[in-house]
Amino acid sequence: VAVRRAIAGAGRVWVEVGCNNWELLRDDLLRPGNEDVFLISVEPLPDKWAFLRAQSIPGRQLVLPLAVSSTPTPYAILRSQNYSDFRDVPGRKFQESGASSLLGYADHFTDHMWQGARKQYQSMRELVVPTVSLGWILDTFVVNRAVDWLKVDAQGLDFDVVMAAGSR
């Protein structure tokens, strides 16, 4: 109820589906002129969700630990790439979760165009995560108003995620 009141009282509402480690809309909340924004961030990876939740701005941001899918089922398998020998440098680690998707990895795709990226497909984890549609998020939290900014980073499912919002 408190979140819905905060959203209803906000001048603008932003929704962020999938959160990159370096390009977060949360950082934009702190910029002058954005004091009237309420941000809903949705991130299914537990470590990224925990980081975002710990860094969230009380009263101005809601961080949901969910995957957004075009065809939500109660749960789905999320594949997350954990980098070892990052960028093909032996022993170099990338400590955060890498790219994640509800889709399987495409063996023919060269991730980020760096040599040796295909080897990273051997270093991944699979997590069972709860899923919802973008329509559910909007119907549950953004009632009777428009979203002013929508960022979708759903690793290959972006268009389908937006289309699943229906007329919202």
Side-chain angles (χ1 to χ4, degrees), residues 1-10 13-15 38-42 61-66 68 132-147 168:
V1 173
V3 169
R4 283 189 185 167
R5 271 194 224 123
I7 292 170
V13 176
W14 295 351
V15 176
F38 190 95
L39 172 61
I40 300 171
S41 298
V42 187
Q61 185 178 10
L62 173 65
V63 183
L64 299 171
L66 305 168
V68 179
V132 297
S133 70
L134 180 58
W136 180 87
I137 291 169
L138 300 178
D139 291 342
T140 302
F141 298 104
V142 188
V143 182
N144 298 321
R145 67 173 302 156
V147 170
R168 292 279 292 144

Side-chain angles (χ1 to χ4, degrees), residues 83-94 114 116 119-120:
Y83 299 109
S84 58
D85 296 343
F86 184 57
R87 296 195 183 251
D88 215 21
V89 176
R92 184 176 181 190
K93 304 292 183 199
F94 184 77
W114 53 277
K119 286 190 239 174
Q120 299 305 312

Side-chain angles (χ1 to χ4, degrees), residues 17 44 67-72 76-79 100-104 131-134 150-165:
V17 175
V68 179
S69 173
S70 57
T71 54
I77 300 294
L78 181 75
R79 290 155 190 91
S100 64
S101 179
L102 296 175
L103 297 172
T131 62
V132 297
S133 70
L134 180 58
L150 174 65
K151 175 191 154 218
V152 178
D153 184 2
Q155 301 296 332
L157 292 172
D158 303 31
F159 180 76
D160 295 335
V161 163
V162 172
M163 292 306 293

